[in-house]
Amino acid sequence: MSTPEVAASSLEQLGLVARRGQLQPLKTKDEVRAALETYSAYVVEVPAKHANAVKDVIQDALPDLRTSDFGHLRRVVQFKFLPPHLQKTFHPPSRLPRGDEDEHSDVPEDALAEELDTVRFFLVSPTRYIQPADLLLALRKKPPFDILPTAPRILYVTVPALAPTSAEQAAKWTIDYWPIAYKNTNPYGPHPSLVLRNTADLSYEAGHWLALAREAGRQISDLQLGENIGCVIVDKTKGVSNIIAVAGDCRWRSPVGATTPQQGQGNVMAHAVERAIAMVAKKRLRVANANPDLLDRPLFCDSPFTDLEKRFFAMDNLEPHGYLCVDLDIFITHEPCVMCSMAILHSRFRRCVFGRRVPLTGGLAADEAVKKGDGSIGAGNGLGHGIFWRPSELNWKFLAWDWVDEDENDTVLSIKDTLHI
Amino acid sequence: MDAESRAYHEAFMREAIAMAELALKSDETPVGCVFVRDGNIIGRGGNETNRTLNGTRHAEFVALASILQSNPITILEETDLYVTVEPCVMCASMLRQYRVRAVYFGCWNERFGGTGGVLNIHSDPSVDSPMPVFGGIFREEAIMLLRKFYVQENEKAPEPKQKKTRELKTEIAPTDIHAPKDAATKV
Ligand SMILES: [Zn+2]
Ligand SMILES: [Zn+2]
């Protein structure tokens, strides 16, 4: 059976309907930073023919200039390729090399266009490298500005500080800031082609596993053992998806299995993700002919409790000799908390999809929180942790998506916004 | 910190080190901890990741699972943690969610420390109140234990056997343990 068939038939048997919606790759912490950071730069208007000479002048005047500061920006730009707001402020050009300054007011249209074609806008450097007066001095010492009657025209632009991470972003910045050179790489996150390939690989089945995760949450919250939160762990290493573990949240389950009053944070260790990971570990012990209940403690809630959990826990469908959750994928109804996000990372998952963002407690999204004056946080897009992809700081990384459900009015998964998933 | 309170904290850190030594004897990464309330140890734990094949069974989880078996969760609000190695990002978040009163630790963990070593989960903006942390109590002893483990594992596996298993067993290499990146308060 192909993956779509497997996915469809596993839901059909359970009387469930796949969610309809779209996967949206999460931005990494560095991508968010790259999208926000800008700096101010000098631009000087130069005669087209002398653009290279000016480049040399700048090189001599600013020997410390790092090309990494503007490798993603076009250095020499024609008027017609400037973004609209700059065309407006830079117009008209100072008509550098010609001698007809006195007739400025009634230059015919085509003459002006021709004139625009003879100048270039040269991106000099970030403004922090040199004072404007010194820049002017440096420019006037060498051709062409040493002989031109008019002083060089120094302009200011705001440009993105870091390289774009996608072609779309490059196109947008070209209109919003300055013409961008996009090299089809992403220094701040997974390569665009990797993301594209994996998004395509999961796009069909994600809605199925999210429906299953949702059912896990429903069953456990019906028993009043936990919140309406669930997750599903899937093995797709063999091409066809196998469901390894299904678990719901168990924070309101007492040590003896009763329900507890829903006050405070409940049993944090029994979040759905922690439970599902523990079930994978138990399966690993089982396939290795070891005792799956080794060092087990009731508070971990790592035994299956609902019909759905039991059904998938009973299947011996895990490859032997595997390690933790390497190569496995996890699908969660909501964005996991910081603890669970790091548990996913510790377990070396390959991919993670969650159904709904939780800006006040989620650990995966990298979007920044809104910090209020009194030090507390407001409902922004996230806490800025971006735990799934911080390779320079953490020792594992994985791909992550959030899910945009077609049903915008779906309230089943509504939770208190301060709840940790 | 005065001599009296130093002696107080060191006594509990010695108990945490004893738990780390126990973990080492069981071929686990030697990290140990104790939870203390009103001057009494109410729970102990050591790493169990290798034996359980579960990468989340850190010492803090193990200790809390036994404490909460017979105590209400609210007890943690007046309980302190002593742990030989800085809590990881996962454990730091768990401890803060449980509202543990304070964390005292030995050495920093530069690979995935959550209280100053890599991230600052104890003090970052959150719906939970910040959690005070104090690092550097018996730091050298904690590092020495990790080194011992490293040597022990290398001696046991002269042939490159299952690479994946070894990866877990050396999840905190001794070279990862230095000073804090930005300081959690030194005791
Ligand atoms: Zn969680
Ligand atoms: Zn930990």
Side-chain angles (χ1 to χ4, degrees), chain A residues 324-354:
Chain A
L324 301 179
C325 298
V326 169
D327 294 334
L328 303 184
D329 303 323
I330 186 164
F331 299 80
I332 318 161
T333 51
H334 302 75
E335 180 181 2
C337 73
V338 172
M339 173 188 73
C340 290
S341 298
M342 194 62 191
I344 293 169
L345 189 135
H346 276 318
S347 302
R348 317 284 212 269
F349 274 93
R350 178 182 174 206
R351 300 177 290 198
C352 173
V353 174
F354 61 83

Short mmCIF file of all heavy atoms in Angstrom, two decimals, chain A residues 324-354:
data_model
loop_
_atom_site.label_atom_id
_atom_site.label_comp_id
_atom_site.label_asym_id
_atom_site.label_seq_id
_atom_site.Cartn_x
_atom_site.Cartn_y
_atom_site.Cartn_z
N LEU A 324 16.72 5.94 20.22
CA LEU A 324 15.78 6.99 20.63
C LEU A 324 14.69 7.16 19.57
O LEU A 324 14.09 6.18 19.14
CB LEU A 324 16.52 8.30 20.91
CG LEU A 324 17.61 8.23 22.00
CD1 LEU A 324 18.29 9.58 22.16
CD2 LEU A 324 17.06 7.75 23.32
N CYS A 325 14.46 8.40 19.12
CA CYS A 325 13.43 8.63 18.10
C CYS A 325 14.06 9.12 16.78
O CYS A 325 13.42 9.85 16.01
CB CYS A 325 12.39 9.60 18.60
SG CYS A 325 11.51 8.97 20.06
N VAL A 326 15.31 8.71 16.55
CA VAL A 326 15.99 9.09 15.31
C VAL A 326 15.14 8.66 14.11
O VAL A 326 14.60 7.55 14.10
CB VAL A 326 17.38 8.40 15.25
CG1 VAL A 326 17.99 8.55 13.86
CG2 VAL A 326 18.30 9.00 16.29
N ASP A 327 14.98 9.53 13.16
CA ASP A 327 14.23 9.30 11.91
C ASP A 327 12.72 9.24 12.08
O ASP A 327 12.00 8.98 11.13
CB ASP A 327 14.70 8.01 11.20
CG ASP A 327 16.12 8.13 10.70
OD1 ASP A 327 16.55 9.27 10.44
OD2 ASP A 327 16.80 7.09 10.57
N LEU A 328 12.22 9.46 13.29
CA LEU A 328 10.77 9.45 13.48
C LEU A 328 10.20 10.87 13.37
O LEU A 328 10.92 11.85 13.54
CB LEU A 328 10.40 8.85 14.84
CG LEU A 328 10.91 7.43 15.12
CD1 LEU A 328 10.41 6.94 16.47
CD2 LEU A 328 10.51 6.47 14.01
N ASP A 329 8.91 10.95 13.08
CA ASP A 329 8.22 12.24 12.99
C ASP A 329 7.16 12.32 14.09
O ASP A 329 6.57 11.31 14.47
CB ASP A 329 7.51 12.36 11.62
CG ASP A 329 8.49 12.20 10.47
OD1 ASP A 329 9.63 12.69 10.59
OD2 ASP A 329 8.11 11.59 9.44
N ILE A 330 6.91 13.53 14.58
CA ILE A 330 5.92 13.70 15.63
C ILE A 330 4.89 14.77 15.22
O ILE A 330 5.26 15.82 14.70
CB ILE A 330 6.58 14.01 17.00
CG1 ILE A 330 5.55 14.03 18.12
CG2 ILE A 330 7.39 15.30 16.97
CD1 ILE A 330 6.15 13.94 19.51
N PHE A 331 3.61 14.43 15.43
CA PHE A 331 2.50 15.33 15.08
C PHE A 331 1.72 15.64 16.35
O PHE A 331 1.29 14.73 17.05
CB PHE A 331 1.59 14.66 14.05
CG PHE A 331 2.29 14.33 12.75
CD1 PHE A 331 3.10 13.21 12.64
CD2 PHE A 331 2.17 15.16 11.65
CE1 PHE A 331 3.78 12.91 11.46
CE2 PHE A 331 2.83 14.87 10.47
CZ PHE A 331 3.64 13.75 10.37
N ILE A 332 1.56 16.92 16.66
CA ILE A 332 0.96 17.33 17.93
C ILE A 332 -0.19 18.29 17.66
O ILE A 332 -0.10 19.11 16.74
CB ILE A 332 2.02 18.03 18.82
CG1 ILE A 332 3.35 17.28 18.75
CG2 ILE A 332 1.55 18.16 20.26
CD1 ILE A 332 4.53 18.08 19.18
N THR A 333 -1.25 18.19 18.45
CA THR A 333 -2.40 19.08 18.23
C THR A 333 -2.03 20.56 18.43
O THR A 333 -2.58 21.43 17.78
CB THR A 333 -3.55 18.76 19.20
OG1 THR A 333 -3.01 18.72 20.54
CG2 THR A 333 -4.21 17.43 18.88
N HIS A 334 -1.10 20.84 19.36
CA HIS A 334 -0.71 22.22 19.68
C HIS A 334 0.81 22.33 19.72
O HIS A 334 1.50 21.32 19.84
CB HIS A 334 -1.24 22.64 21.05
CG HIS A 334 -2.73 22.56 21.21
ND1 HIS A 334 -3.38 21.36 21.37
CD2 HIS A 334 -3.68 23.52 21.26
CE1 HIS A 334 -4.68 21.59 21.51
NE2 HIS A 334 -4.90 22.90 21.44
N GLU A 335 1.29 23.55 19.69
CA GLU A 335 2.73 23.79 19.80
C GLU A 335 3.22 23.34 21.18
O GLU A 335 2.70 23.78 22.21
CB GLU A 335 3.03 25.28 19.62
CG GLU A 335 4.52 25.60 19.73
CD GLU A 335 4.82 27.09 19.56
OE1 GLU A 335 3.86 27.88 19.38
OE2 GLU A 335 5.99 27.45 19.61
N PRO A 336 4.23 22.46 21.22
CA PRO A 336 4.71 21.95 22.52
C PRO A 336 5.39 23.04 23.35
O PRO A 336 5.95 23.98 22.82
CB PRO A 336 5.72 20.88 22.12
CG PRO A 336 6.16 21.22 20.74
CD PRO A 336 4.98 21.90 20.10
N CYS A 337 5.33 22.87 24.67
CA CYS A 337 5.99 23.81 25.59
C CYS A 337 7.51 23.66 25.45
O CYS A 337 8.00 22.78 24.75
CB CYS A 337 5.55 23.53 27.03
SG CYS A 337 6.25 22.01 27.74
N VAL A 338 8.25 24.49 26.17
CA VAL A 338 9.72 24.46 26.09
C VAL A 338 10.24 23.09 26.52
O VAL A 338 11.11 22.51 25.87
CB VAL A 338 10.34 25.57 26.95
CG1 VAL A 338 11.85 25.42 27.03
CG2 VAL A 338 9.97 26.94 26.39
N MET A 339 9.70 22.55 27.60
CA MET A 339 10.13 21.24 28.07
C MET A 339 9.94 20.18 26.98
O MET A 339 10.87 19.43 26.66
CB MET A 339 9.33 20.83 29.32
CG MET A 339 9.62 19.40 29.77
SD MET A 339 8.53 18.82 31.09
CE MET A 339 6.99 18.58 30.20
N CYS A 340 8.74 20.14 26.39
CA CYS A 340 8.45 19.12 25.39
C CYS A 340 9.24 19.38 24.09
O CYS A 340 9.67 18.44 23.43
CB CYS A 340 6.96 19.06 25.11
SG CYS A 340 6.04 18.36 26.51
N SER A 341 9.43 20.65 23.73
CA SER A 341 10.23 20.96 22.54
C SER A 341 11.64 20.40 22.71
O SER A 341 12.21 19.81 21.79
CB SER A 341 10.31 22.48 22.33
OG SER A 341 9.03 23.02 22.11
N MET A 342 12.20 20.57 23.90
CA MET A 342 13.55 20.07 24.16
C MET A 342 13.56 18.55 24.27
O MET A 342 14.54 17.90 23.90
CB MET A 342 14.12 20.72 25.41
CG MET A 342 15.61 20.53 25.58
SD MET A 342 16.60 21.25 24.24
CE MET A 342 18.20 20.54 24.64
N ALA A 343 12.46 17.96 24.76
CA ALA A 343 12.36 16.50 24.81
C ALA A 343 12.39 15.93 23.38
O ALA A 343 13.00 14.89 23.12
CB ALA A 343 11.09 16.07 25.53
N ILE A 344 11.75 16.63 22.46
CA ILE A 344 11.76 16.21 21.05
C ILE A 344 13.18 16.28 20.51
O ILE A 344 13.65 15.39 19.81
CB ILE A 344 10.79 17.10 20.22
CG1 ILE A 344 9.34 16.85 20.65
CG2 ILE A 344 10.96 16.86 18.73
CD1 ILE A 344 8.34 17.86 20.09
N LEU A 345 13.87 17.36 20.88
CA LEU A 345 15.26 17.52 20.43
C LEU A 345 16.17 16.45 21.06
O LEU A 345 16.95 15.81 20.36
CB LEU A 345 15.75 18.93 20.77
CG LEU A 345 17.10 19.31 20.16
CD1 LEU A 345 17.03 20.72 19.56
CD2 LEU A 345 18.23 19.26 21.17
N HIS A 346 16.05 16.24 22.37
CA HIS A 346 16.83 15.19 23.05
C HIS A 346 16.61 13.84 22.38
O HIS A 346 17.50 13.01 22.34
CB HIS A 346 16.38 15.05 24.51
CG HIS A 346 17.02 16.02 25.46
ND1 HIS A 346 18.36 16.34 25.42
CD2 HIS A 346 16.51 16.71 26.50
CE1 HIS A 346 18.63 17.20 26.40
NE2 HIS A 346 17.52 17.45 27.06
N SER A 347 15.38 13.61 21.90
CA SER A 347 15.04 12.30 21.35
C SER A 347 15.42 12.17 19.88
O SER A 347 15.20 11.15 19.27
CB SER A 347 13.54 12.04 21.53
OG SER A 347 13.19 12.10 22.89
N ARG A 348 15.97 13.24 19.33
CA ARG A 348 16.53 13.22 17.96
C ARG A 348 15.48 12.97 16.88
O ARG A 348 15.73 12.25 15.91
CB ARG A 348 17.62 12.17 17.80
CG ARG A 348 18.62 12.08 18.94
CD ARG A 348 19.63 13.23 18.87
NE ARG A 348 20.92 12.84 19.38
CZ ARG A 348 21.32 12.97 20.66
NH1 ARG A 348 20.47 13.45 21.56
NH2 ARG A 348 22.52 12.61 21.03
N PHE A 349 14.30 13.55 17.06
CA PHE A 349 13.27 13.41 16.02
C PHE A 349 13.76 14.03 14.71
O PHE A 349 14.66 14.88 14.70
CB PHE A 349 11.97 14.11 16.45
CG PHE A 349 11.08 13.24 17.29
CD1 PHE A 349 11.16 13.27 18.68
CD2 PHE A 349 10.17 12.38 16.69
CE1 PHE A 349 10.34 12.47 19.46
CE2 PHE A 349 9.34 11.58 17.46
CZ PHE A 349 9.43 11.62 18.84
N ARG A 350 13.10 13.59 13.64
CA ARG A 350 13.46 14.11 12.32
C ARG A 350 12.60 15.31 11.96
O ARG A 350 13.07 16.34 11.51
CB ARG A 350 13.25 12.98 11.30
CG ARG A 350 13.52 13.35 9.87
CD ARG A 350 13.22 12.13 9.00
NE ARG A 350 13.33 12.45 7.59
CZ ARG A 350 12.67 11.78 6.64
NH1 ARG A 350 11.89 10.77 6.98
NH2 ARG A 350 12.82 12.10 5.39
N ARG A 351 11.27 15.18 12.20
CA ARG A 351 10.36 16.25 11.79
C ARG A 351 9.23 16.40 12.81
O ARG A 351 8.85 15.43 13.46
CB ARG A 351 9.76 15.94 10.41
CG ARG A 351 10.80 15.81 9.33
CD ARG A 351 10.21 15.43 7.98
NE ARG A 351 9.70 14.07 7.93
CZ ARG A 351 9.46 13.40 6.80
NH1 ARG A 351 9.70 13.98 5.64
NH2 ARG A 351 8.99 12.17 6.83
N CYS A 352 8.72 17.62 12.91
CA CYS A 352 7.65 17.88 13.87
C CYS A 352 6.61 18.79 13.22
O CYS A 352 6.94 19.80 12.60
CB CYS A 352 8.23 18.56 15.12
SG CYS A 352 6.97 19.10 16.29
N VAL A 353 5.34 18.40 13.38
CA VAL A 353 4.23 19.22 12.89
C VAL A 353 3.29 19.47 14.06
O VAL A 353 2.97 18.54 14.79
CB VAL A 353 3.44 18.48 11.77
CG1 VAL A 353 2.20 19.28 11.38
CG2 VAL A 353 4.33 18.23 10.56
N PHE A 354 2.90 20.73 14.26
CA PHE A 354 1.88 20.94 15.29
C PHE A 354 0.71 21.73 14.73
O PHE A 354 0.84 22.50 13.78
CB PHE A 354 2.46 21.60 16.55
CG PHE A 354 3.06 22.96 16.34
CD1 PHE A 354 2.27 24.09 16.32
CD2 PHE A 354 4.43 23.10 16.17
CE1 PHE A 354 2.84 25.35 16.14
CE2 PHE A 354 5.00 24.36 15.99
CZ PHE A 354 4.20 25.48 15.96
#
